[in-house]
Each structure stands twice: as C-alpha cells, then as structure tokens.
Amino acid sequence: MDNKDIRVDEMDIREEIQIIRSMIEKTKRATAESAALFIVWGVLISLALIGNFVLGHLKLYEWEWLNWGGIAIIGWICSAVYGIRRKMTAPVRTYAQHAGSHLYVSCGAGFLLVGLIFPAIGVYSYEAITILISAVTGILFFAMSGIFEWPALKAIGLGWWAGAIGMSFLRPDLRTIVYTVLFIAGYLVPVIILHNKYRRQRSEA
C-alpha cells in the first residue's frame, strides 16, 4: 500500500468519524426536543409523590401501588401519543434515536411492572416501590449516557442506584422524602436544564 492509498484511507476514516459525530449531535438535539415529554413525566411523578405523601400521612400504604401504577399508565399514554406525533413529523431517525426509543419503552414497561403489577399480585411489599423505581430510573439514565454520549447522564444514573441502595435501609416514610430529593436533583433539574439549553440554541439559530 503506497502513501496515496494511506492518505485516501485516512480521509475516508475522518469522513466516517465526522458523519458519526454529526449523527450523534443530531440525536442529541432530537433528545433535547423530547425534554417536553420528560417534563410531562416530571409533573406526573410529582403528582405521584404528593399522592404518596398523602397516603402515607393517612397510613393507607396499601394503596401506594395504585397511585404509582395509575401515574405510569397515564405517562405511557402521553408517551405513545408523543411518539406517534414524532413519527409523523420526523419519519427518518438515526440508530441512536431508534435505540433510545426502545430504551424508553423498556424502562416504561419496567416502571409499570415494579410500580403496579408486581405489588398488586403480592410479589413484594408496596414499601419497595420507590426503591425499585429508582433502580429502573438509574438504568434509564446510565444507558442513555452510552447511547447519546452524555457522561453527565452516567453520573445521574449512578446517583439513582446509590439512592436505591440507601433507601433500602430507611423506614418507608423516610424513603418518600429521600426519593423526592433524588427526583428533584436527578431528574427535574437536568431535564429543565436540557430544555432551556435546547430553547436557547434554537433561538440563536
């Protein structure tokens, strides 16, 4: 192989790397656009936390599974509607977007299972719901960090896992408080920052 062939190969490699980076950036922008959906989920989970607090205050712990399960179902419906609309307006998706959509569906199914179905059929106590939801949320953010190459999301995922482990040593009433703090710091704040960043970039374009 002569020097000319080597230079051609190097140019091809650089072009491929540039294409991959461009696709990743495109996926990041598309994910930032989806921040509105994450905010909807944030509002729903906030309502679930309020319901959890009220049920705990009334000592109606056995109804917590219905509270979380109902929120999960509403969130699923909102996600399905949003996904259909996105598919109609942007039929062409990158591989990362395709992988991300499967991740969201998988974790959504996980939330439904751990928050509604398993407690309802008596697989485990309702007191474990916040712990298991935190574990699934950690999987969501950690996997997203690899798909979209956002290192900060990996730290958020690790934070959710650490929170899940920590809550396993606490009383049920304290778990709700810890989960609320974890939710604000590890979900609402990053989503709002992402949403504002996208809006700022869009206004500057």
Side-chain angles (χ1 to χ4, degrees), residues 145-162:
S145 72
I147 293 174
F148 303 127
E149 295 191 356
W150 282 346
L153 297 181
K154 183 179 293 184
I156 293 173
L158 292 172
W160 276 101
W161 286 336

Side-chain angles (χ1 to χ4, degrees), residues 15 17 24 42 62 72 83 129 153 167 189:
E15 288 179 0
I17 292 174
I24 291 173
E62 66 274 12
I129 291 177
L153 297 181
M167 282 189 288
V189 172

Side-chain angles (χ1 to χ4, degrees), residues 88-203:
M88 293 174 62
T89 56
V92 179
R93 298 190 300 174
T94 65
Y95 174 78
Q97 286 175 288
H98 186 69
S101 66
H102 279 72
L103 174 65
Y104 304 148
V105 171
S106 300
C107 289
F111 290 134
L112 188 62
L113 289 170
V114 303
L116 175 61
I117 296 176
F118 291 158
I121 62 179
V123 174
Y124 49 76
S125 170
Y126 56 86
E127 297 175 353
I129 291 177
T130 52
I131 297 173
L132 296 174
I133 286 180
S134 297
V136 176
T137 306
I139 294 172
L140 172 64
F141 279 103
F142 195 89
M144 284 176 63
S145 72
I147 293 174
F148 303 127
E149 295 191 356
W150 282 346
L153 297 181
K154 183 179 293 184
I156 293 173
L158 292 172
W160 276 101
W161 286 336
I165 294 172
M167 282 189 288
S168 65
F169 296 100
L170 300 176
R171 300 194 315 266
D173 56 330
L174 294 178
R175 289 175 187 171
T176 301
I177 297 174
V178 173
Y179 182 87
T180 302
V181 174
L182 191 61
F183 174 72
I184 293 172
Y187 186 92
L188 275 184
V189 172
V191 166
I192 291 173
I193 291 174
L194 179 64
H195 184 62
N196 290 337
K197 180 180 179 181
Y198 164 70
R199 291 183 61 183
R200 186 168 58 251
Q201 289 177 345
R202 193 173 183 180
S203 62

Side-chain angles (χ1 to χ4, degrees), residues 4-20:
K4 183 177 179 181
D5 291 334
I6 294 175
R7 286 195 298 271
V8 171
D9 289 341
E10 289 177 348
M11 290 178 60
D12 290 340
I13 292 172
R14 282 196 294 268
E15 288 179 0
E16 290 178 2
I17 292 174
Q18 187 62 35
I19 291 173
I20 293 172

Side-chain angles (χ1 to χ4, degrees), residues 40-87:
V40 169
W41 270 101
V43 172
L44 291 174
I45 294 175
S46 297
L47 293 175
L49 288 171
I50 294 173
N52 218 49
F53 177 80
V54 172
L55 291 171
H57 182 72
L58 298 175
K59 300 190 183 301
L60 298 174
Y61 301 112
E62 66 274 12
W63 292 103
E64 288 185 0
W65 66 270
L66 183 60
N67 175 53
W68 285 104
I71 289 298
I73 291 173
I74 295 173
W76 258 73
I77 294 173
C78 292
S79 299
V81 172
Y82 180 84
I84 292 172
R85 291 182 61 184
R86 286 281 299 173
K87 204 168 188 179

